[in-house]
Amino acid sequence: MVDRQQQRAERVIVSFKQLLGSELAGEITEEKYRDLALMVREVIAEAVGDAVEQVEAVTRRIRAESDRPERGM
């Protein structure tokens, strides 16, 4: 998962540099781009964590409902 997050972060940085144009992108240091990539990875990790929590909540709800006997049967 971390490799995919790293790859996505790198794609965001490349796209960002293209939006800036070569002259403006060249004015930003590689250290700042690394900081930006770290922020992007953190946001991705947080979003994945939120999605996992939602799936877990749905799974718990489904399990709780499946443990109850059905009415009318």
Side-chain angles (χ1 to χ4, degrees):
M1 181 63 93
V2 174
D3 289 335
R4 287 176 48 190
Q5 291 175 359
Q6 177 67 30
Q7 291 170 354
R8 286 180 179 158
E10 289 172 4
R11 286 195 307 261
V12 168
I13 301 304
V14 168
S15 296
F16 182 65
K17 286 180 178 181
Q18 290 172 347
L19 285 174
L20 292 177
S22 60
E23 186 176 328
L24 186 55
E27 294 181 26
I28 300 172
T29 65
E30 285 303 313
E31 180 182 359
K32 293 299 179 189
Y33 285 122
R34 284 191 298 272
D35 291 344
L36 179 58
L38 177 61
M39 287 185 273
V40 170
R41 286 194 310 269
E42 288 173 352
V43 168
I44 292 170
E46 186 176 322
V48 169
D50 291 346
V52 168
E53 287 177 16
Q54 291 174 7
V55 169
E56 288 173 344
V58 169
T59 302
R60 284 191 299 273
R61 197 166 49 241
I62 290 170
R63 284 186 178 141
E65 289 175 7
S66 68
D67 289 342
R68 291 187 218 147
E70 291 187 32
R71 293 185 178 151
M73 288 191 86

